[in-house]
Amino acid sequence: MLAGLLGALASPVASAEGPRVILWAWERPENLRFLNPSQAEVSFLAATVDLTEEAFSVRPRRQPLYLPPGLRPRATVRIEMRQGGSLAHVAPELRQRLVERLVTIAQGVKAAALQIDFDARESETEAYLTLLGELRGRMPPGLPLSITALASWCGSGSWLARAPVDEVVPQLFRMGPDDVRHYERAQRGFAPPCARSVGLALDEWRAPPASASTVYLFNPRPWTATAFTEAHSKLNP
């Protein structure tokens, strides 16, 4: 179903000016045919995984996504722990089956990259690193692996430095009571691997850190050409 919704797939051309821009497309109808592939890429919610300590189920995307010819999207997969469970208590056999399914999802939609969105608690970070290592080992050569991150994870000496991924995307929105402190620290410069990419929201607009060469944009409403033009002008004044 997804292959039919996505249409023609080819590698997009990177923008020569300003940061690289990637639009997040979540679980809702999205018509992004207005995009020029030279100006922006897309990372769409391909599936949500409901995980317990005994099993998991996958909810594939059910909303249409329309893209312009020549734009090959990235696939984002959201993992949510259910029933009060912890990733730290998931058995190796179940974790390996989950890894296989994640690879299958990315291959099934011919994704340009796979991005994992998981809010790991402090007690789950080692288990998450193990899952990412096993996933990295099972992914086809040349397929990038990306993860989203809470801004609070991106301090000096963070466990993220051990993550076997190609990209970490700290989200500078919905940061809670420490909102200002996290943003000010980001502006001073996150330590690697959090420095090169950033996630911003149109309804909580902030200038991206100077170190960010890639900017992911979240829109709480469906994307339109007007919304994209406004965001692009803010990124490229």
Side-chain angles (χ1 to χ4, degrees), residues 165-181:
V165 299
D166 301 290
E167 178 186 59
V168 175
V169 186
Q171 300 179 66
L172 295 186
F173 59 98
R174 314 295 194 267
M175 292 183 286
D178 291 328
D179 184 290
V180 173
R181 181 170 62 86

Side-chain angles (χ1 to χ4, degrees), residues 1 6 8 13 15 76 91 95 111 113 128 152 184-185 191-192 196 213 218 232 237:
M1 180 183 73
L6 295 177
V13 180
S15 174
T76 297
R95 189 179 62 242
Y128 191 27
S152 59
E184 289 177 346
R185 184 154 54 86
R196 295 185 300 275
S213 57
F218 169 75
H232 198 266

Side-chain angles (χ1 to χ4, degrees), residues 35-120:
L35 281 179
N36 182 335
S38 68
Q39 291 183 312
E41 301 173 47
V42 173
S43 190
F44 74 103
L45 184 67
T48 299
V49 175
D50 294 312
L51 177 63
T52 71
E53 294 177 5
E54 292 79 29
F56 68 86
S57 60
V58 177
R59 289 179 280 148
R61 184 185 186 90
R62 292 181 172 85
Q63 301 295 334
L65 172 65
Y66 301 103
L67 299 174
L71 198 158
R72 183 182 178 191
R74 298 161 173 249
T76 297
V77 178
R78 170 73 178 168
I79 299 177
E80 297 185 354
M81 289 301 310
R82 300 296 188 185
Q83 299 179 9
S86 170
L87 185 63
H89 299 151
V90 171
E93 296 80 8
L94 176 59
R95 189 179 62 242
Q96 290 164 12
R97 292 202 302 273
L98 173 59
V99 164
E100 295 291 341
R101 181 63 68 87
L102 293 173
V103 173
T104 299
I105 291 170
Q107 292 178 319
V109 298
K110 299 181 174 63
L114 174 61
Q115 182 176 78
I116 304 301
D117 181 34
F118 176 62
D119 299 333

Side-chain angles (χ1 to χ4, degrees), residues 5 18 67 84 127 132 154 218:
L5 294 174
L67 299 174
L132 292 172
C154 291
F218 169 75

